[in-house]
Amino acid sequence: MEWTDDGIVLGIRRHGESSAVLELLTREHGRHLGLVRGASGKRMRPVLQPGNTVRAVWRARLDEHLGMYAIDGLTLRAAELMSASHGAYGVTHLAALARLLPERDPHEDMYLRLEHALDDFEDAGGAAAHIVRFELAILAELGFGLDLESCAATGEMTDLIYVSPKSGGAVSRTAGAPWADRLLPLPPFLRESEEDHGWSDQDLFDGFRLTGLFLLRHVLEPRGQGHSDAREGFINAVTRARARLARA
């Protein structure tokens, strides 16, 4: 068995003296593990860091085996990501989200979303918006997508400012007015184009509150899990980074 694919490093754990088990989210083969020999060497250490994109050749005698990886670096962004606290927390949290996907099940759209998010992580607010969108995409990929395109009550497609915490459907301003205190805010950056950078701290908080509720209810709690510590660390790091920027 052999294939070649691009993959994003999610994590690595030591195996023996010099080898390691590498976990990738690959473009065509999903979340996939393999053994890398010489992983602790000077040449491979910088390549096998979370957040990097690599070219992987996987070989095994049988498909169900762990197999061996031969790895070459493509985009080595890990050092830059780890230079900021929001980057370090963000990469860790994105990896935790990617691990919610079934192993060896192709999810090319999630691979592309993850790569796009990691390539645009310099600005803390932009990174936060990417992660909220990634959490929404994970929900959809696992069968729990939110309907934010039209009003759950009237079918209207404009002036959507709320989300029902029960159905996960968007609600328009007029339809939601009588129950505004029971509805979740739908932040503008989830309603408008990705190029719109006019988000506020409250918008980002509302986005994390929205995705966090449905991730817990539908994905994490049924597995006996909660949100990763990295998620809270990321949100706090973004808040601090934006506060420093506002004072500058």
Side-chain angles (χ1 to χ4, degrees), residues 132-133 136-137 139 145-152 156-164 167-171 184-187 189-192 207 210-211 214:
V132 172
R133 292 189 182 104
L136 275 180
L139 281 166
L146 309 187
D147 181 5
L148 305 181
E149 301 299 320
S150 61
C151 177
E156 295 178 31
M157 302 181 69
T158 59
D159 206 20
L160 305 175
I161 67 166
Y162 302 113
V163 176
S164 166
S167 70
V171 181
L184 298 170
L186 175 57
F189 73 91
L190 294 181
R191 308 194 306 263
E192 299 167 2
L210 174 65
T211 54
F214 290 99

Side-chain angles (χ1 to χ4, degrees), residues 190-247:
L190 294 181
R191 308 194 306 263
E192 299 167 2
S193 70
E194 189 169 340
E195 288 71 28
D196 176 22
H197 290 184
W199 47 68
S200 67
D201 289 345
Q202 187 62 49
D203 292 336
L204 297 175
F205 176 81
D206 290 341
F208 279 110
R209 181 185 174 200
L210 174 65
T211 54
L213 172 70
F214 290 99
L215 278 170
L216 274 178
R217 180 188 299 169
H218 295 305
V219 180
L220 298 173
E221 289 180 345
R223 303 182 186 205
Q225 301 177 17
H227 286 302
S228 68
D229 292 340
R231 187 180 195 264
E232 183 177 357
F234 174 79
I235 295 170
N236 291 336
V238 168
T239 301
R240 292 194 299 270
R242 287 172 62 84
R244 287 195 300 269
L245 186 63
R247 292 194 299 267

Side-chain angles (χ1 to χ4, degrees), residues 63-76:
D63 185 60
E64 60 266 25
H65 287 178
L66 174 64
M68 304 287 299
Y69 272 140
I71 299 293
D72 287 308
L74 293 179
T75 306
L76 305 185

